[in-house]
């Protein structure tokens, strides 16, 4: 008779513990909320350590920040990075509204974490993303959290506006030149002297960048940044607080939690003589009138921070060495002056770009030469180009685009089927995640390919149209004797500066024609 001997294991197999972390957040920095945060930290440390299968991996918490957008929370970002680096296996948090109050952010984060094998437990809703029935419930709950956030945001806005009107609103931080004492703006005499200097120099005609450069050269430090810059100077020159007045609600947050400059969409409130003035109203108004005049001269539209098309070359001259745009400058030579265009990077740091300036009259002459060559030799330059472009067949690309669109529709349909199977319990979460991620990856590749093909077709068709119009014009045009802004704007896309002796005119039809700069 055969005997069976039972062999006992020499040692027990130890299952590694899950590395579990907690995430907590409070949205304001008042004492009551910070106490709540401490309570959450204590609770979750005890909660995690009480589970024998879990290893406490720390608590991540953000305080004094809003939860409407994930980019505002540094600790949440650090938590995600630690998950990606395999330091955390599981996350515990109070509720969906504490984790994210934006549906898109919530689902995006959960999917991202699920893809790397990290799951979450929402205590209030009793949801474990590893074993949840589907995304439908999570979507509903996160939508409710977002609605709750909107309601809270509206209440906060109402509270702030009420404080605006009754005069109890406190500025987030005092501007340069002031300090806070018992909630009141008090003049900081050392900084106030710098403020007066800035306004005086602006009134005397100095530009904002020159004022900033002089302050930096004198070793005077701004309040927050390391160095002064033109934007800081312009912001101070337009800040009415230096006159003792305060304008409230210069910006506002929309229903999608995006901040905008208030250009009349919301009521603004002016509080006169709110605090001691550093600058008189007369000097403040004079400086801002001067800034307005300069802005009109330069074609600057207030609030957009960009130049309008003041000069035909504005934004069109590009440095071949560093890729920066050229800026217009007035150069002086003895008793005469001339207009030059200079690389913006070279202006600020010659070590980063060695490209020197080019004279505007040289660009004019080069353009005249280039255009006259086109007019004279259009049959040898433009006609062969047009023939070559027309010979290109885009039917294959168009057919492929249609095929990609069909594949994208099929991809979406398969995604819908998978979601239905998951919500009905016919498909496990792990298998769903695996297949849905494959479909998303496939969709991303298809969209990128479609975009590239569409760009190629559009570019080719545009080039044909541009060459046709340039050829039609050149075949009938007379030679030009002076720079023509209308012709330049119509046919030239940009100017590439190769050196002080050579530039290239990149035409809208895709052709780049080089010319020597002759003085």
């Amino acid at each position: 008779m055969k005997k069976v001997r039972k062999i006992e294991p020499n040692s027990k197999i130890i299952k590694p513990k899950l590395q579990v972390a907690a995430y907590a957040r409070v949205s304001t920095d008042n004492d009551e909320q910070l106490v709540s945060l401490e309570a959450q930290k204590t609770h979750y440390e005890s909660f995690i350590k009480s589970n024998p299968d879990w290893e406490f991996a720390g608590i991540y918490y953000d305080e004094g920040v809003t939860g409407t957008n994930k980019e505002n929370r540094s600790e949440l970002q650090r938590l995600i990075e630690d998950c990606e680096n395999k330091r955390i296996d599981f996350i515990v948090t109070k509720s969906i509204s504490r984790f994210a109050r934006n549906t898109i952010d919530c689902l995006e984060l959960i999917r991202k974490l699920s893809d790397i094998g990290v799951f979450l437990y929402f205590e209030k809703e009793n949801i474990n993303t590893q074993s949840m029935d589907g995304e439908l419930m999570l979507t509903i709950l996160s939508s409710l959290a977002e609605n709750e956030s909107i309601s809270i945001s509206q209440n906060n806005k109402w509270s702030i506006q009420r404080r605006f009107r009754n005069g109890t609103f406190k500025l987030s931080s005092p501007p340069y030149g002031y300090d806070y004492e018992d909630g009141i703006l008090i003049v900081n005499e050392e900084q106030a002297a710098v403020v007066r200097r800035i306004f005086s120099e602006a009134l005397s005609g100095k530009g904002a960048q020159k004022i900033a450069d002089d302050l930096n050269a004198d070793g005077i430090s701004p309040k927050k940044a390391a160095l002064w810059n033109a934007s800081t100077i312009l912001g101070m020159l337009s800040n009415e607080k230096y006159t003792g007045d305060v304008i409230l609600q210069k910006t506002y947050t929309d229903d999608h939690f995006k901040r905008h400059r208030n250009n009349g969409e919301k009521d603004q409130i002016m509080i006169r003589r709110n605090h001691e003035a550093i600058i008189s109203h007369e000097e403040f108004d004079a400086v801002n009138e001067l800034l307005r005049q300069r802005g009109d001269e330069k074609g600057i539209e207030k609030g957009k921070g960009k130049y309008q098309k003041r000069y035909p070359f504005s934004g069109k001259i590009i440095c071949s060495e560093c890729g920066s745009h050229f800026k217009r400058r007035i150069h002086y030579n003895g008793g005469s002056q001339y207009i030059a265009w200079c690389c913006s990077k070279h202006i600020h740091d010659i070590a980063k770009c060695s490209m020197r300036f080019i004279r505007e009259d040289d660009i004019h002459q080069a353009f005249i030469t280039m255009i006259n060559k086109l007019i004279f030799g259009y049959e040898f330059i433009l006609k062969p180009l047009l023939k070559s472009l027309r010979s290109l067949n885009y039917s294959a690309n168009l057919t492929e685009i249609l095929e990609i669109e069909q594949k994208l529709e099929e991809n979406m349909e398969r995604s819908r089927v998978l979601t239905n199977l998951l919500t009905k319990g016919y498909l496990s979460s792990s298998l769903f995640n695996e297949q849905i991620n494959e479909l998303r990856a496939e969709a991303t590749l298809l969209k990128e390919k479609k975009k590239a093909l569409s760009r190629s077709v559009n570019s080719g068709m545009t080039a044909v149209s541009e060459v046709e119009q340039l050829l039609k014009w050149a075949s009938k045009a007379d030679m030009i004797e002076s720079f023509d802004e209308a012709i330049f704007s119509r046919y030239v896309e940009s100017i590439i500066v190769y050196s002080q002796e050579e530039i290239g005119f990149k035409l809208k039809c895709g052709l780049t024609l080089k010319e020597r700069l002759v003085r």
Side-chain angles (χ1 to χ4, degrees):
M1 181 178 177
K2 293 184 179 180
K3 295 183 179 180
V4 178
R5 185 178 63 169
K6 183 179 180 183
I7 302 175
E8 298 291 340
N10 294 327
S11 61
K12 294 182 179 180
I13 298 174
I14 300 175
K15 183 180 178 181
K17 293 185 177 182
L18 282 179
Q19 297 297 310
V20 182
Y23 176 74
R25 178 183 60 80
V26 294
S27 54
T28 60
D29 56 2
N30 59 47
D31 293 340
E32 183 179 346
Q33 291 285 11
L34 293 180
V35 169
S36 172
L37 178 59
E38 288 300 320
Q40 290 183 58
K41 289 161 62 179
T42 302
H43 164 71
Y44 284 118
E45 184 172 356
S46 173
F47 177 72
I48 294 171
K49 289 182 177 179
S50 66
N51 191 319
D53 296 326
W54 291 356
E55 184 77 29
F56 181 63
I59 294 178
Y60 298 73
Y61 58 92
D62 288 300
E63 57 183 76
V65 294
T66 175
T68 53
N69 194 301
K70 67 179 184 297
E71 279 76 15
N72 296 330
R73 294 183 275 166
S74 59
E75 281 292 282
L76 177 60
Q77 298 302 320
R78 188 170 71 88
L79 172 64
I80 294 170
E81 289 177 7
D82 286 348
C83 291
E84 292 173 336
N85 293 325
K86 308 299 181 184
R87 299 192 187 102
I88 296 170
D89 304 313
F90 196 70
I91 300 169
V92 177
T93 189
K94 183 177 180 181
S95 67
I96 294 173
S97 65
R98 293 290 90 188
F99 185 66
R101 294 193 181 181
N102 178 298
T103 302
I104 295 174
D105 283 353
C106 182
L107 295 177
E108 177 186 313
L109 288 173
I110 290 172
R111 289 166 181 162
K112 181 177 182 178
L113 292 170
S114 296
D115 290 344
I116 58 177
V118 178
F119 301 96
L120 297 96
Y121 173 65
F122 298 101
E123 188 178 23
K124 179 180 177 182
E125 294 85 3
N126 193 25
I127 291 179
N128 186 331
T129 61
Q130 187 173 14
S131 58
M132 63 184 182
D133 295 331
E135 289 190 344
L136 179 60
M137 180 59 69
L138 187 63
T139 302
I140 294 172
L141 291 170
S142 54
S143 295
L144 292 174
E146 183 172 353
N147 290 334
E148 179 187 357
S149 178
I150 293 172
S151 176
I152 293 171
S153 176
Q154 294 296 337
N155 290 338
N156 287 337
K157 288 178 184 177
W158 178 85
S159 174
I160 291 171
Q161 289 169 356
R162 183 181 179 188
R163 281 181 279 153
F164 282 166
R165 297 184 184 282
N166 63 25
T168 60
F169 182 80
K170 181 180 177 181
L171 301 176
S172 58
S173 61
Y176 185 90
Y178 289 98
D179 294 320
Y180 261 137
E181 288 186 14
D182 299 325
I184 300 173
L185 287 175
I186 303 298
V187 174
N188 179 318
E189 289 300 338
E190 182 180 352
Q191 294 179 3
V194 179
V195 174
R196 296 186 187 99
R197 168 180 167 174
I198 290 171
F199 273 84
S200 176
E201 291 183 352
L203 201 55
S204 70
K206 271 191 181 181
Q209 188 59 56
K210 176 60 176 171
I211 295 174
D213 291 342
D214 290 347
L215 291 172
N216 291 328
D218 292 342
I220 299 172
S221 299
K223 196 164 191 174
K224 295 180 180 179
L227 295 172
W228 294 91
N229 57 53
S231 297
T232 302
I233 299 297
L234 291 172
M236 292 176 66
L237 292 174
S238 60
N239 192 340
E240 82 293 337
K241 296 180 184 66
Y242 292 117
T243 67
D245 300 337
V246 175
I247 296 177
L248 301 174
Q249 197 156 275
K250 292 180 180 178
T251 62
Y252 69 94
T253 303
D254 63 20
D255 293 338
H256 301 287
F257 310 110
K258 301 294 184 183
R259 185 161 290 278
H260 304 276
R261 182 182 294 275
N262 187 359
N263 294 314
E265 295 84 356
K266 304 290 182 180
D267 290 339
Q268 290 186 332
I269 297 172
M270 165 74 81
I271 302 177
R272 299 283 187 184
R273 296 180 292 279
N274 180 72
H275 51 273
E276 184 181 351
I278 295 176
I279 301 298
S280 68
H281 283 91
E282 291 75 19
E283 186 176 2
F284 181 83
D285 292 341
V287 167
N288 280 271
E289 177 61 22
L290 182 62
L291 293 176
R292 186 193 64 76
Q293 290 175 1
R294 287 180 180 171
D296 290 343
E297 292 172 2
K298 293 182 178 180
I300 299 175
E301 190 172 345
K302 188 175 181 181
K304 293 190 176 180
K306 293 184 178 180
Y307 285 96
Q308 296 174 335
K309 294 180 180 179
R310 182 185 177 196
Y311 306 108
F313 298 150
S314 295
K316 288 195 172 184
I317 306 181
I318 302 169
C319 177
S320 65
E321 182 177 332
C322 69
S324 300
H325 285 83
F326 276 47
K327 291 185 176 181
R328 188 178 186 271
R329 290 287 185 268
I330 305 295
H331 283 193
Y332 297 91
N333 185 11
S336 62
Q337 65 181 41
Y338 59 88
I339 299 171
W341 289 82
C342 315
C343 173
S344 56
K345 183 170 287 187
H346 177 87
I347 292 171
H348 289 100
D349 190 346
I350 190 173
K352 292 184 178 179
C353 182
S354 62
M355 185 67 71
R356 300 188 66 192
F357 69 90
I358 55 175
R359 293 175 60 127
E360 185 172 85
D361 50 6
D362 291 344
I363 303 175
H364 286 171
Q365 191 57 50
F367 176 75
I368 294 169
T369 304
M370 183 272 295
I371 282 294
N372 286 336
K373 285 180 180 178
L374 271 180
I375 294 172
F376 177 78
Y378 68 89
E379 290 188 350
F380 308 103
I381 301 173
L382 298 179
K383 282 189 175 180
L385 175 62
L386 181 59
K387 184 179 179 180
S388 174
L389 290 172
R390 282 176 172 170
S391 67
L392 297 175
N393 189 348
Y394 295 104
S395 60
N397 285 0
L398 294 172
T399 301
E400 192 170 357
I401 289 173
L402 292 175
E403 292 174 353
I404 289 174
E405 289 177 346
Q406 180 63 35
K407 289 179 180 178
L408 284 170
E409 289 181 6
E410 293 172 359
N411 182 286
M412 291 178 62
E413 181 59 33
R414 292 203 301 271
S415 297
R416 282 193 289 267
V417 170
L418 285 174
T419 303
N420 288 334
L421 291 173
L422 179 68
T423 55
K424 292 177 181 179
Y426 300 140
L427 192 66
S428 67
S429 297
S430 59
L431 184 58
F432 170 81
N433 287 330
E434 179 183 345
Q435 294 189 12
I436 205 72
N437 287 334
E438 289 178 0
L439 288 174
R440 287 172 185 155
E442 179 189 67
T444 299
L445 291 174
L446 289 171
K447 288 175 182 177
E448 290 176 353
K449 190 172 183 179
K450 178 186 174 183
K451 188 183 295 184
L453 288 169
S454 299
R455 192 184 300 117
S456 175
V457 172
N458 290 334
S459 177
M461 291 180 174
T462 300
V464 170
S465 175
E466 287 292 335
V467 174
E468 286 176 340
Q469 294 180 53
L470 180 58
L471 177 59
K472 183 178 179 181
W473 173 82
S475 64
K476 299 178 180 179
D478 296 325
M479 297 285 187
I480 64 173
E481 297 180 358
S482 60
F483 177 75
D484 191 312
E485 181 180 335
I487 297 174
F488 175 84
S489 299
R490 173 61 188 85
Y491 297 110
V492 177
E493 180 179 309
S494 60
I495 297 173
I496 311 299
V497 180
Y498 301 106
S499 68
Q500 273 194 304
E501 291 77 36
E502 187 179 44
I503 61 174
F505 293 94
K506 183 179 180 181
L507 306 183
K508 292 180 180 179
C509 65
L511 193 64
T512 299
L513 301 175
K514 292 184 178 182
E515 286 295 335
R516 302 289 295 177
L517 295 177
V518 181
R519 295 181 186 172

